[in-house]
Amino acid sequence: MIYYKTAAEIERIRESALIVSKTLGMLASEIKPGVTTSHLDKLAEAFIHDHGAEPGFLGLYGFPNTLCTSPNGGVVHGIPNAEPLAEGDILSVDCGVRKDGFCGDQAYTFEVGEVAPALRHLLQVTRECLYKGIAAFRAGNRTGDVGHAIQKHAEDHGYSVVRELVGHGLGRKMHEDPQLPNYGKCGRGKKLREGLVAAIEPMVNSGTEKVERSEDGWTIKTSDGKASAHFEHDVAIVNGKPEILSSFTYVRHALGIKSDGSAPFDSEMPSSTAT
Ligand code: MG
Ligand code: MG
């Protein structure tokens, strides 16, 4: 069952989404060689509490931490651990919060120190996939239009999209209907309507699309061990068009990145932080 949100509900989801965005921005300054993901997890948990919210993943389906941290061939759902990050790694960080009964959910793949050009290209294309998907997230389109836009851009660059994990509706629950696969056919799937809020989250692999679950029961990794990237925004359909509720502005600020392809979506820039 799909719950379409009122303008007031969308504002509350935006509040939660921006707390996640700020958390990712804080982490962006901390992610460097030698740092452990369990350290990042503790920082994030304290930061979220300091902002009047609760970690949204901690305890969700039994997940043990605040962050999902998935380095290199990790796709999603990695458990933070005591292994230090190494120069040249990439690290996907997925974070959720809950505040006043509404959820935010956002992911970003970070570079650890100096990263090989081929990996940087994977991150760039995955970010572009995210914005292609968002552009297709509008009233009258269908979920297949979003998936198709993401899949086509990834495959045009020789990458593959993960099939087993999907984007999703977002609201009082972290995962609501409809599912938003990162692949699909135009004109297929559920129709998108005013008031729909969803987490759009391409997971793009440099090698095979196939993934498997690790022995820890959580971590999803690529079957061939090749790198995977993950970027996620929370998006509402307002006046028929996509409005990004989360923001990478805080991450961009921390990393000194001027532009990442979000330019067509000006509402992504909260006025208080836009530069
Ligand atoms: Mg997420
Ligand atoms: Mg999500």
Side-chain angles (χ1 to χ4, degrees), residues 27-81:
L27 293 171
S29 308
E30 302 288 337
I31 292 171
K32 48 185 83 125
V35 170
T36 68
T37 47
S38 56
H39 174 66
L40 299 174
D41 188 64
K42 288 194 185 73
L43 291 177
E45 185 172 351
F47 187 91
I48 290 166
H49 282 135
D50 286 348
H51 285 75
E54 296 293 322
F57 295 166
L58 186 62
L60 185 67
Y61 316 119
F63 188 76
N65 290 87
T66 294
L67 298 179
C68 297
T69 51
S70 310
N72 304 318
V75 179
V76 287
H77 301 169
I79 297 177
N81 61 33

Side-chain angles (χ1 to χ4, degrees), residues 57 94-95 105-107 168 201 230 232:
F57 295 166
D94 197 347
C95 180
D105 177 15
Q106 201 185 4
H168 50 89
E201 48 178 317
H230 181 207
E232 178 177 25

Side-chain angles (χ1 to χ4, degrees), residues 20-147:
V20 183
S21 305
K22 288 172 187 169
T23 306
L24 292 174
M26 177 276 293
L27 293 171
S29 308
E30 302 288 337
I31 292 171
K32 48 185 83 125
V35 170
T36 68
T37 47
S38 56
H39 174 66
L40 299 174
D41 188 64
K42 288 194 185 73
L43 291 177
E45 185 172 351
F47 187 91
I48 290 166
H49 282 135
D50 286 348
H51 285 75
E54 296 293 322
F57 295 166
L58 186 62
L60 185 67
Y61 316 119
F63 188 76
N65 290 87
T66 294
L67 298 179
C68 297
T69 51
S70 310
N72 304 318
V75 179
V76 287
H77 301 169
I79 297 177
N81 61 33
E83 200 170 313
L85 295 169
E87 180 89 20
D89 283 349
I90 56 170
L91 177 69
S92 296
V93 178
D94 197 347
C95 180
V97 309
R98 187 181 297 277
K99 183 173 188 285
D100 299 331
F102 286 88
C103 297
D105 177 15
Q106 201 185 4
Y108 195 95
T109 300
F110 295 92
E111 301 173 20
V112 182
E114 200 63 42
V115 163
L119 285 176
R120 299 192 71 177
H121 184 257
L122 172 69
L123 304 193
Q124 173 68 26
V125 169
T126 308
R127 260 196 312 263
E128 289 166 4
C129 285
L130 172 61
Y131 291 112
K132 299 265 181 199
I134 291 170
F137 186 72
R138 50 181 62 241
N141 271 3
R142 292 179 180 270
T143 53
D145 295 298
V146 176

Side-chain angles (χ1 to χ4, degrees), residues 104-253:
D105 177 15
Q106 201 185 4
Y108 195 95
T109 300
F110 295 92
E111 301 173 20
V112 182
E114 200 63 42
V115 163
L119 285 176
R120 299 192 71 177
H121 184 257
L122 172 69
L123 304 193
Q124 173 68 26
V125 169
T126 308
R127 260 196 312 263
E128 289 166 4
C129 285
L130 172 61
Y131 291 112
K132 299 265 181 199
I134 291 170
F137 186 72
R138 50 181 62 241
N141 271 3
R142 292 179 180 270
T143 53
D145 295 298
V146 176
H148 177 80
I150 292 169
Q151 178 182 14
K152 181 171 189 316
H153 193 66
E155 292 181 353
D156 281 353
H157 287 85
Y159 299 133
S160 64
V161 292
V162 173
R163 304 299 202 269
E164 283 84 346
L165 299 134
V166 297
H168 50 89
L170 178 77
R172 290 188 180 274
K173 288 191 177 156
M174 193 67 71
H175 299 123
E176 297 186 354
D177 289 336
Q179 293 199 340
L180 279 167
N182 293 307
Y183 61 94
K185 293 203 167 80
C186 292
R188 300 279 181 85
K190 290 242 156 51
K191 202 160 209 174
L192 307 176
R193 275 179 40 191
E194 185 76 11
L196 180 62
V197 179
I200 299 177
E201 48 178 317
M203 287 153 252
V204 176
N205 295 350
S206 52
T208 179
E209 71 196 44
K210 293 202 166 54
V211 298
E212 55 193 56
R213 193 183 299 267
S214 304
E215 285 156 14
D216 63 24
W218 281 104
T219 311
I220 305 293
K221 55 184 187 179
T222 56
S223 296
D224 58 8
K226 290 188 178 167
S228 181
H230 181 207
F231 289 88
E232 178 177 25
H233 263 317
D234 301 334
V235 190
I237 298 180
V238 178
N239 297 323
K241 294 191 299 234
E243 185 172 323
I244 303 179
L245 306 179
S246 49
S247 174
F248 289 146
T249 304
Y250 304 97
V251 169
R252 284 207 300 268
H253 242 263

